[in-house]
Amino acid sequence: MLVLVGSGRALGVVWRLSTDTSLVVGRKDSPLLIEGDKSVSRVHATIITLAEDLSGVDIQDEGSKFGIYINGKQCPSRSLSRLLVGDKIMFGAQDSVFHLRRYPIALCVANMRTEPPSAVDRVLAVANSLGMDI
């Protein structure tokens, strides 16, 4: 499972990335909301997961005034940049920072029946549809 973990001004914010979706980042009316940082635009960036297995994650600066920085390097405005696990992403100029992390998922399937279609098969199917690495 891929997550964005906040630090700095975004400390405590954790956002799970879903498969084949886009996530708008901003300081007002955005799914990933960064409040209290005036250097973050209302619609600052879009994070795009490219594949069902979350093997590709891109970010696009939506023309923000203070930009996006990946590992300290500014991204070009209105163009896609690839994110890798471990990257540090800063939105704006006031330390609204996230880290892209991959966390494994552990499922306990003890005491589930094994006859087809088993509960284990159903749990695995749901987990796979959510993009979880099992």
Side-chain angles (χ1 to χ4, degrees), residues 1-7 13-17 54 57 71 83-89 97-104 133:
M1 169 172 64
L2 286 178
V3 294
L4 290 170
V5 179
S7 64
V13 177
V14 177
W15 196 270
R16 184 176 81 77
L17 297 178
L54 295 172
V57 179
N71 301 321
L83 294 176
L84 302 173
V85 171
D87 280 349
K88 174 183 172 183
I89 306 109
V97 175
F98 288 83
H99 299 269
L100 183 62
R101 301 279 189 239
R102 179 179 297 277
Y103 291 107
D133 297 327

Side-chain angles (χ1 to χ4, degrees), residues 12 27 36-37 42 47 54 60 65 78 95 103 129 134:
R27 84 176 141 81
D37 185 344
R42 290 180 185 193
I47 297 172
L54 295 172
Q60 179 172 322
K65 183 174 181 180
R78 302 226 182 257
D95 201 29
Y103 291 107
S129 74
I134 299 188

Side-chain angles (χ1 to χ4, degrees), residues 22-133:
S22 60
L23 172 68
V24 175
V25 179
R27 84 176 141 81
K28 188 169 183 170
D29 301 325
S30 296
L32 202 164
L33 189 62
I34 301 174
E35 296 179 295
D37 185 344
K38 298 260 186 206
S39 72
V40 173
S41 299
R42 290 180 185 193
V43 177
H44 198 93
T46 303
I47 297 172
I48 305 152
T49 58
L50 303 174
E52 198 170 289
D53 64 356
L54 295 172
S55 60
V57 179
D58 284 345
I59 189 165
Q60 179 172 322
D61 185 323
E62 298 294 352
S64 67
K65 183 174 181 180
F66 293 100
I68 298 169
Y69 295 81
I70 299 174
N71 301 321
K73 184 178 176 187
Q74 188 168 13
C75 300
S77 183
R78 302 226 182 257
S79 64
L80 291 175
S81 298
R82 179 57 50 105
L83 294 176
L84 302 173
V85 171
D87 280 349
K88 174 183 172 183
I89 306 109
M90 186 171 86
F91 300 96
Q94 295 184 5
D95 201 29
S96 291
V97 175
F98 288 83
H99 299 269
L100 183 62
R101 301 279 189 239
R102 179 179 297 277
Y103 291 107
I105 300 279
L107 298 174
C108 179
V109 292
N111 297 322
M112 290 186 165
R113 294 185 335 197
T114 58
E115 302 88 38
S118 72
V120 173
D121 292 333
R122 291 192 301 276
V123 167
L124 291 175
V126 169
N128 286 329
S129 74
L130 295 173
M132 296 179 180
D133 297 327

